[in-house]
Amino acid sequence: MALRPIVTAPHPLLKQVSKPVEMVNDATRALVDDMLETMYAAPGIGLAAIQVGIPKRIITMDVSKEPDPPSPLVLINPEIVWSSDTEQSYEEGCLSFPDQYAEVDRPASIEVKYLDRDGKAQVLKAEGLLAVCIQHEMDHLEGVLFVDHLSTLKRSMILRRMGKAKRLNTAAE
Ligand code: GNR
Ligand code: NI
């Protein structure tokens, strides 16, 4: 297992559309394990493979809260098969936008089909934070970021703050 560096905005990789996994094999599982380790270390509740530079349709998640035990979830080639008309608003963050948060509206409940880490087909119905997280991660597979759901004004404010933070970082290095 290994920690992998997380790609931060603005980076062209984050706009890339990820490719389906053709076969779930040991190499896939090795990447999944690295993603889980990287996600927990960040710490984050979700991670898409493109955030560690790999354009494959793989996401890892864990929305469990202490003192509950960890509950890692791996979705390969996920597809939303149903989503509710009712939306919910949630203050989202993204490991590729450190320290930036904004309210995003999305369907409140969804049903998603995917392959698990053994390559077995699964269906999952989700609501609340899990539904938010799955949709946020699935956006990454299409090169869509949470800021793309915001008004132009809010998006440019966040992008400007990201630019500033990056310049400060480069100056300090
Ligand atoms: O760690 C994360 N927290 C989070 C909070 C609210 C809505 C979505 C997320 S996902 C984010 C990790 C991440 O960037 N995944 O792509
Ligand atoms: Ni994200």
Side-chain angles (χ1 to χ4, degrees):
M1 295 237 287
L3 278 180
R4 300 198 183 204
I6 295 178
V7 175
T8 55
H11 192 294
L13 263 175
L14 294 172
K15 304 260 81 187
Q16 208 170 302
V17 178
S18 295
K19 293 242 163 27
V21 173
E22 290 190 6
M23 202 176 65
V24 179
N25 54 26
D26 286 348
T28 317
R29 284 182 282 274
L31 171 59
V32 161
D33 288 343
D34 285 359
M35 286 174 61
L36 282 166
E37 187 180 352
T38 304
M39 177 186 84
Y40 284 122
I45 60 169
L47 190 72
I50 195 67
Q51 292 180 280
V52 292
I54 312 286
K56 290 195 177 158
R57 303 184 79 84
I58 304 175
I59 67 193
T60 59
M61 281 176 294
D62 190 335
V63 298
S64 66
K65 293 218 170 69
E66 296 272 8
D68 293 342
S71 109
L73 198 53
V74 177
L75 274 57
I76 300 170
N77 300 344
E79 289 174 42
I80 291 181
V81 293
W82 174 83
S83 50
S84 63
D85 293 332
T86 315
E87 299 210 321
Q88 66 179 333
S89 167
Y90 199 93
E91 182 169 62
E92 298 195 14
C94 181
L95 292 172
S96 298
F97 290 80
D99 306 319
Q100 310 300 324
Y101 303 89
E103 292 278 337
V104 177
D105 293 329
R106 302 182 187 273
S109 331
I110 56 168
E111 205 170 277
V112 61
K113 70 169 190 186
Y114 62 96
L115 301 178
D116 65 17
R117 60 174 292 139
D118 299 315
K120 190 166 174 269
Q122 303 281 358
V123 184
L124 175 68
K125 180 147 189 206
E127 56 184 27
L129 180 57
L130 182 59
V132 171
C133 192
I134 292 173
Q135 293 175 86
H136 174 113
E137 302 314 331
M138 286 185 66
D139 270 356
H140 277 299
L141 305 183
E142 297 301 320
V144 174
L145 302 166
F146 82 110
V147 295
D148 296 324
H149 293 277
L150 308 177
S151 66
T152 311
L153 179 65
K154 284 186 182 160
R155 180 168 51 250
S156 17
M157 276 170 55
I158 289 182
L159 290 173
R160 185 171 44 81
R161 289 201 293 259
M162 286 296 299
K164 263 191 190 162
K166 269 209 173 155
R167 282 193 295 282
L168 279 170
N169 257 315
T170 340
E173 272 162 16

